[in-house]
Amino acid sequence: MNLVEEESESKRDHINDIVLSEDVQRAIEQVLQSSDPLDQPDFNPTDYINQLFPNEQSLSNIDEVISKMEYDISLIDDNIRSVVRGQVNTGENGRVALKEAQQSLTQLFSLITDIKSRAEKTEDMVKEITRDIKQLDSAKNNLTYAITTLNHLHMLVGGVENLKQLSERRQYGEVLNPLQAIIEVNQHFQQYSEISQIQTLSAQVQQIQSELATQITDDFKNFFSPTAHSNTNRMTITQLKDACQVASVLDKLVKKNILKWFINLQLQEYIQLFHENQDIAWLDKIDKRYAWVKRHLLDFEEKYGTVFPADWEVSERITVQFCTITREELSKIMARRKQEIDVKLLLFAIQKTSNFEQLLDKRFNGTTLVEATSEEVRKERDSFSNLIGSCFKPYLDIYTDSISRDLTALVEQFALQNQQMVVPKEINPGIIPNCADLFVFYKKCMVQCMQLSNEKPMYDLVLIFKKHLREYASKVLEARIPKPQPPNSTSSTISSSMSLLTKDFQNLSTAAGQVIHNFLKEGETPRFSAEDTRKICYILATAEYCLETVQQLEDKLKEKIDKNYITKVDLADEKDVYHRIISNCIQLLVHDLDAACEQSLLLMTKIAWHSISNVGDQSGFVNQIITNLKQTVPVIRDNLANSRKYYTQFCHKFVNSFIPKYINTLYRLRPTSTGSSSASGSAALVASASSSSISEGASGSSAASGNILGCEQLLLDTHSLKTVLMDLPSIGSQVQRKPPASYTKVVVKGMAKAEMIIKVVMQPVHPASLYIEQYLKLLPESSVVEFHKILEMKNVRKVEQQQLVEAYKRACPAQQHQQQQQQQGSNSSAASAIGEHVGSSSQATENAPTGTSTGNHQSQQMAAAAAAISGAGSSIMALGDSLMDKGRIKKIENLIKNRLPN
């Protein structure tokens, strides 16, 4: 009993495990489209029951669900029974249909067999009817062929005898037509060559052709031989013309041998006259060779032009042979006398040869060039170009060497002219004229070289162009870039300052302020004059023109040069040279304008911002900056009118340089006063030193506790500068243009940071949490270093600074690592800046006028200046110990030492 239950259970499991393939499942879904969960292939009974009865309350309608399920089951059972019955009936109907189809196929096969047998009988009847007709047709064809062959045989037998008689009498005009017919008939009888009579006739035809070839060749030699005039058997022109027609019918070798002998005969005089030992054979008389062949061809065509058939192209063949002999003779004589060839003689010979080859191209069609020239010499078979001129290619290095020497002399000439370079007075001077002259010479050389060769000589010319492009850049452009002149000797200024200091000991504060002012003025960066600025723009525009023209030159060279050298043509290094010149010019203009603004920024640090009592118009340093911009920028803009992109680049670089300097200057200011002991900094000390008395300045530094009017004034000045910088590209111009969006973005971002710094300084530091919150809102990308600087600007005491820094670090701990990296980067940048300053100082020293006496004089002046400044510092310290506080005098001493030359 247990075995039966296990078996039935395994059967049920087997039925439940039936898995249909994807294709069957798709077919079922297409036929039985249903949304019932029970019909889904992934039906899960447990999920379905949980869906019907999600909770205990839903079990109340379980009877209804069971009833519905039983009804569905009974309905499915009825459908299954119907399908099973229908399937039984369908099988029976299929068997009946299959039986009927088999019977139809059997009947069809019997019909096809009957049709095939009838077709075979019909074919036999047709063959029987047409048998006699075919025999008659075949007999007709055989008879026709026999008659034709008999006629050909009769023609061959009679024609052989006739040809013998005509050839003996040299009646070539009457020989032509029978000869053509006999040759064709003889070819027809080649299939019967085993017949002895046919062999005899064929041999006679071959013999007649051979005798005619020998006879015609002899007739030609007799006619054109030097003793032809005394020969009584000399042929007439008409006979000679007919003989040429006969020779065209004979074997091709006959015509070839006649032409070869005749052409050599025509050029015997040329070979003897222009032998390599003759003076007339040298390159300086190469045009006489071409004049000779022109005369000879005219004489030949006048006398014998009607003798030879047009398709023989005798004149062209003579010319081609002349070119071949000339090329070989010139190669030998140039190899022997290479030392006598100069560029002028070489170009003369090439030019005359090129003109002659062009004349030949116009006169002849070049059909005989293929058989008359070698593949090494001729690449284009339909042109006479380089048929002779190829012999000059091994000597084209003479030409390229000459071009290199000419370019060297030309660049040196430009360099000498450039020493007295004067910028034209017009607003937009354009470019240096000799630059255009250089590229005109380049174009001329390239065109000339193309006529000579576009292979290795052209590539050698590319290398020469590259070399002299770099030389022009260094000797003409870079050599004439103005350099800022160092200021005059400082000894006179220092001595006058010392005399001012010792003249009136009673007004010590005024004297000390004047000395400090002189020290600051002596450190001014040298500036360019307006003429130097225009000269820099002049050179920049020229470099831009060179850069664009070099690109065009490179494209043209790649277009003209042979395809094997295209990848080697690269002027990228030369373009980089002119890019560097443009960049250097822009950097010099930026540095010059920076130098003009540095004095204004220095004046900015000398203002006692913490003691400002009211906010008025913009400060004096802003007016100075605007004045400098209006004096310098319009000159640059007008002289770069045709180089707008580089003028825009200049404006970009200037604001990228000026704005960080302005922000760093802001960090050095102390615009507020909190009454702390550390309120006086270096800027306040300089301001107090330039006021009526040092003591009064010191007392003023501690007045007006909590004054932020200085910040308000700075905010006004910063806004004014921002407005000026926004309009910098069009400053001083009657035509106002909207600046580029990228430029506006840089100005807005940089000056907005400056404004935020001033606003942060205006905020009270107490309470600290509120101050740091405001700080992070205004300067979200700040660092600990900047936070320190701003606290210094607010004159916050050291103890309070430490507390605020700790609070700041706690407020933004995620930024600490980034701030440390930024601090390390700023330190390395500062080190780089120091290195650049030292390098620029040494470069300025190198760029100064050289000379032993001048260098010694400058060294003595620098030593005297150092001694004078050191003495001035000692005097100020001695007087300060008796009159002022020792701490403040110590700061003055440090300031003076900072101004001493290293």
Side-chain angles (χ1 to χ4, degrees):
M1 184 66 181
N2 292 334
L3 292 174
V4 174
E5 292 178 354
E6 290 179 0
E7 184 177 358
S8 62
E9 186 68 26
S10 63
K11 288 181 179 180
R12 285 198 299 271
D13 293 342
H14 177 69
I15 293 173
N16 293 334
D17 291 342
I18 291 177
V19 178
L20 300 177
S21 65
E22 293 182 0
D23 296 336
V24 175
Q25 190 64 44
R26 267 197 306 272
I28 293 173
E29 290 176 356
Q30 291 176 358
V31 176
L32 302 175
Q33 298 181 358
S34 174
S35 60
D36 192 345
L38 294 173
D39 295 332
Q40 302 301 318
D42 55 350
F43 173 72
N44 190 330
T46 304
D47 294 339
Y48 182 68
I49 293 172
N50 290 333
Q51 184 178 0
L52 292 176
F53 307 107
N55 48 43
E56 294 181 0
Q57 289 78 8
S58 61
L59 294 174
S60 59
N61 60 347
I62 189 172
D63 295 332
E64 297 178 0
V65 175
I66 292 174
S67 300
K68 184 177 181 300
M69 291 293 178
E70 290 176 350
Y71 174 75
D72 292 340
I73 291 171
S74 64
L75 184 61
I76 291 171
D77 289 339
D78 292 340
N79 291 336
I80 291 173
R81 282 193 293 271
S82 299
V83 171
V84 170
R85 290 170 184 167
Q87 186 65 31
V88 172
N89 295 333
T90 301
E92 185 64 27
N93 295 334
R95 284 191 293 273
V96 173
L98 179 62
K99 186 174 181 181
E100 292 177 354
Q102 289 175 347
Q103 292 176 356
S104 299
L105 288 174
T106 302
Q107 294 175 0
L108 180 62
F109 181 75
S110 61
L111 290 174
I112 292 172
T113 304
D114 185 46
I115 291 171
K116 182 179 179 181
S117 61
R118 290 182 181 182
E120 291 175 352
K121 292 179 181 179
T122 302
E123 183 180 4
D124 293 339
M125 292 175 62
V126 170
K127 286 181 179 180
E128 184 67 24
I129 293 171
T130 60
R131 180 180 297 136
D132 296 336
I133 297 174
K134 286 184 177 181
Q135 290 178 354
L136 291 174
D137 187 60
S138 177
K140 176 186 175 183
N141 292 336
N142 293 334
L143 182 61
T144 302
Y145 187 76
I147 293 172
T148 303
T149 303
L150 184 62
N151 289 333
H152 288 168
L153 182 61
H154 177 71
M155 184 186 302
L156 182 62
V157 173
V160 168
E161 295 298 329
N162 188 27
L163 278 177
K164 287 182 180 179
Q165 297 175 4
L166 293 175
S167 62
E168 290 175 357
R169 294 195 295 267
R170 286 180 169 77
Q171 297 177 348
Y172 297 122
E174 299 178 7
V175 167
L176 180 62
N177 291 332
L179 178 63
Q180 290 177 330
I182 288 175
I183 291 175
E184 292 178 1
V185 170
N186 188 39
Q187 291 177 352
H188 173 73
F189 281 106
Q190 291 300 317
Q191 54 184 326
Y192 306 110
S193 58
E194 67 276 2
I195 301 175
S196 59
Q197 291 82 356
I198 300 299
Q199 288 181 355
T200 304
L201 289 173
S202 179
Q204 291 177 356
V205 172
Q206 294 293 336
Q207 183 180 1
I208 291 173
Q209 293 185 41
S210 177
E211 290 175 353
L212 280 173
T214 304
Q215 183 175 309
I216 290 173
T217 303
D218 293 339
D219 290 340
F220 265 90
K221 292 181 179 180
N222 292 332
F223 184 86
F224 291 104
S225 63
T227 59
H229 296 287
S230 61
N231 194 343
T232 57
N233 295 327
R234 186 168 180 263
M235 296 177 61
T236 64
I237 296 294
T238 304
Q239 287 179 312
L240 202 62
K241 184 177 181 180
D242 293 337
C244 290
Q245 297 291 341
V246 174
S248 298
V249 177
L250 298 174
D251 188 67
K252 292 182 178 180
L253 189 62
V254 177
K255 169 185 170 182
K256 183 177 180 181
N257 291 333
I258 292 173
L259 286 173
K260 182 178 180 181
W261 172 85
F262 179 75
I263 291 172
N264 290 333
L265 178 67
Q266 296 297 310
L267 294 176
Q268 280 183 357
E269 179 186 354
Y270 171 73
I271 294 174
Q272 296 175 359
L273 185 62
F274 290 92
H275 190 268
E276 60 177 322
N277 295 327
Q278 303 294 328
D279 293 338
I280 198 175
W282 187 228
L283 298 180
D284 58 344
K285 298 180 179 62
I286 195 171
D287 53 335
K288 296 186 181 299
R289 294 176 180 266
Y290 307 137
W292 181 91
V293 76
K294 292 175 187 177
R295 291 193 305 270
H296 187 77
L297 287 176
L298 290 174
D299 183 58
F300 162 75
E301 290 177 356
E302 182 181 354
K303 291 181 179 179
Y304 309 114
T306 59
V307 173
F308 298 95
D311 59 339
W312 280 30
E313 300 288 352
V314 179
S315 296
E316 182 177 324
R317 292 177 186 275
I318 293 173
T319 305
V320 172
Q321 183 65 17
F322 166 82
C323 294
T324 303
I325 295 172
T326 302
R327 183 182 66 248
E328 294 173 354
E329 291 297 320
L330 289 177
S331 298
K332 290 191 294 184
I333 194 171
M334 284 192 294
R336 186 165 58 88
R337 303 172 62 177
K338 183 177 181 181
Q339 301 300 326
E340 302 178 30
I341 304 176
D342 57 15
V343 65
K344 185 177 179 180
L345 180 62
L346 181 65
L347 292 179
F348 170 78
I350 292 175
Q351 185 62 43
K352 292 296 182 181
T353 302
S354 177
N355 294 339
F356 177 69
E357 290 172 344
Q358 292 175 9
L359 179 64
L360 295 182
D361 279 329
K362 295 177 182 178
R363 172 63 178 80
F364 302 112
N365 54 21
T367 55
T368 64
L369 287 172
V370 177
E371 53 190 87
T373 57
S374 61
E375 190 167 350
E376 292 78 8
V377 178
R378 298 295 304 128
K379 292 183 180 179
E380 299 179 0
R381 301 297 186 180
D382 58 346
S383 173
F384 283 85
S385 177
N386 282 331
L387 186 57
I388 301 175
S390 59
C391 67
F392 299 113
K393 288 185 177 180
Y395 306 94
L396 289 179
D397 56 335
I398 298 174
Y399 167 75
T400 54
D401 292 344
S402 173
I403 293 297
S404 180
R405 291 192 299 269
D406 291 345
L407 277 173
T408 300
L410 189 63
V411 172
E412 293 295 337
Q413 178 185 348
F414 291 162
L416 291 176
Q417 294 174 354
N418 220 32
Q419 292 179 1
Q420 295 84 26
M421 182 180 69
V422 178
V423 183
K425 297 300 182 182
E426 56 266 20
I427 292 179
N428 184 16
I431 63 171
I432 301 175
N434 56 34
C435 175
D437 296 339
L438 176 68
F439 286 104
V440 167
F441 187 81
Y442 271 20
K443 180 180 179 181
K444 177 183 176 183
C445 294
M446 185 173 63
V447 172
Q448 193 175 47
C449 190
M450 269 298 301
Q451 297 174 352
L452 305 179
S453 173
N454 68 336
E455 297 177 353
K456 187 178 182 302
M458 179 67 82
Y459 178 65
D460 293 339
L461 193 65
V462 172
L463 299 180
I464 293 172
F465 284 174
K466 288 166 63 70
K467 172 186 174 183
H468 290 91
L469 282 173
R470 293 192 297 269
E471 288 188 354
Y472 182 84
S474 61
K475 294 182 179 180
V476 179
L477 297 184
E478 289 182 331
R480 299 309 301 163
I481 295 178
K483 297 178 175 56
Q485 297 298 325
N488 295 329
S489 175
T490 59
S491 59
S492 60
T493 307
I494 296 174
S495 60
S496 62
S497 300
M498 289 302 299
S499 63
L500 177 65
L501 185 65
T502 57
K503 184 177 181 181
D504 190 0
F505 285 98
Q506 296 179 357
N507 195 2
L508 178 62
S509 61
T510 302
Q514 185 64 35
V515 171
I516 294 171
H517 177 71
N518 288 338
F519 288 156
L520 296 176
K521 188 174 181 180
E522 288 157 14
E524 292 181 1
T525 305
R527 291 206 57 199
F528 294 116
S529 63
E531 181 66 21
D532 288 341
T533 301
R534 297 182 71 240
K535 187 177 291 186
I536 292 174
C537 296
Y538 196 35
I539 294 173
L540 189 151
T542 304
E544 180 189 13
Y545 170 81
C546 291
L547 181 62
E548 295 173 354
T549 312
V550 167
Q551 180 61 52
Q552 297 172 6
L553 177 66
E554 181 179 9
D555 296 339
K556 186 61 68 174
L557 287 170
K558 288 183 178 180
E559 176 186 340
K560 298 297 184 182
I561 203 168
D562 185 79
K563 61 181 181 180
N564 296 326
Y565 293 91
I566 291 178
T567 56
K568 297 181 180 180
V569 178
D570 184 11
L571 303 183
D573 293 340
E574 289 66 38
K575 288 184 284 188
D576 290 342
V577 169
Y578 290 102
H579 271 300
R580 187 183 70 244
I581 293 175
I582 294 173
S583 179
N584 290 343
C585 290
I586 294 175
Q587 194 61 39
L588 285 174
L589 295 174
V590 171
H591 181 72
D592 180 66
L593 193 54
D594 267 345
C597 295
E598 280 181 2
Q599 299 302 318
S600 302
L601 296 179
L602 183 60
L603 177 63
M604 179 181 173
T605 62
K606 295 167 65 177
I607 299 174
W609 296 98
H610 60 277
S611 61
I612 290 179
S613 58
N614 63 325
V615 179
D617 286 338
Q618 59 193 25
S619 302
F621 79 91
V622 177
N623 294 329
Q624 286 189 6
I625 291 175
I626 295 174
T627 301
N628 288 325
L629 294 179
K630 288 184 177 180
Q631 289 176 350
T632 305
V633 174
V635 176
I636 298 173
R637 182 181 59 244
D638 293 340
N639 285 273
L640 293 180
N642 294 334
S643 305
R644 294 294 302 178
K645 64 178 179 180
Y646 293 117
Y647 172 67
T648 303
Q649 187 176 343
F650 158 76
C651 295
H652 268 280
K653 288 191 175 183
F654 171 71
V655 294
N656 281 323
S657 174
F658 173 77
I659 293 176
K661 289 183 179 179
Y662 180 73
I663 293 176
N664 288 332
T665 305
L666 285 179
Y667 286 140
R668 296 168 57 190
L669 305 182
R670 301 295 179 264
T672 63
S673 176
T674 59
S676 62
S677 60
S678 62
S680 58
S682 62
L685 183 59
V686 174
S688 62
S690 61
S691 63
S692 61
S693 66
I694 295 178
S695 59
E696 291 176 0
S699 62
S701 66
S702 60
S705 176
N707 184 16
I708 62 170
L709 293 178
C711 292
E712 295 178 359
Q713 182 64 45
L714 275 175
L715 201 58
L716 174 64
D717 295 338
T718 302
H719 181 72
S720 299
L721 278 178
K722 178 181 177 182
T723 304
V724 172
L725 292 178
M726 289 289 289
D727 298 333
L728 179 66
S730 300
I731 191 171
S733 174
Q734 296 178 355
V735 180
Q736 295 296 320
R737 293 185 180 180
K738 186 178 180 180
S742 57
Y743 173 81
T744 304
K745 182 179 179 181
V746 172
V747 174
V748 170
K749 182 178 179 181
M751 297 307 291
K753 181 177 180 181
E755 292 175 344
M756 293 302 105
I757 290 173
I758 299 172
K759 291 180 180 180
V760 167
V761 174
M762 294 172 66
Q763 300 293 326
V765 295
H766 299 292
S769 59
L770 181 60
Y771 177 73
I772 292 174
E773 181 181 355
Q774 289 295 113
Y775 181 91
L776 292 176
K777 287 181 180 179
L778 296 175
L779 294 171
E781 298 180 358
S782 183
S783 64
V784 176
V785 176
E786 291 182 343
F787 188 70
H788 267 296
K789 292 179 179 179
I790 291 174
L791 293 180
E792 289 289 341
M793 291 178 67
K794 292 180 65 63
N795 289 320
V796 179
R797 291 180 300 175
K798 297 296 183 181
V799 178
E800 294 181 3
Q801 285 187 23
Q802 294 297 329
Q803 295 173 355
L804 289 170
V805 168
E806 293 299 328
Y808 173 78
K809 290 181 179 180
R810 289 194 299 271
C812 50
Q815 297 182 359
Q816 291 181 9
H817 179 66
Q818 181 181 359
Q819 292 167 358
Q820 292 176 359
Q821 291 181 343
Q822 291 177 352
Q823 185 174 3
Q824 293 175 359
S826 63
N827 293 337
S828 62
S829 300
S832 301
I834 293 172
E836 291 177 359
H837 176 71
V838 173
S840 63
S841 301
S842 61
Q843 184 178 2
T845 303
E846 292 174 359
N847 292 333
T850 57
T852 307
S853 60
T854 305
N856 295 335
H857 182 61
Q858 289 181 350
S859 300
Q860 293 173 3
Q861 288 180 343
M862 292 298 293
I869 294 173
S870 178
S874 302
S875 301
I876 291 174
M877 286 302 299
L879 294 171
D881 288 337
S882 60
L883 297 176
M884 287 180 280
D885 181 69
K886 185 177 291 186
R888 294 193 180 96
I889 296 302
K890 186 68 175 176
K891 293 181 180 179
I892 294 178
E893 179 187 10
N894 292 334
L895 180 64
I896 294 173
K897 288 182 178 179
N898 289 335
R899 303 304 301 175
L900 290 174
N902 293 328

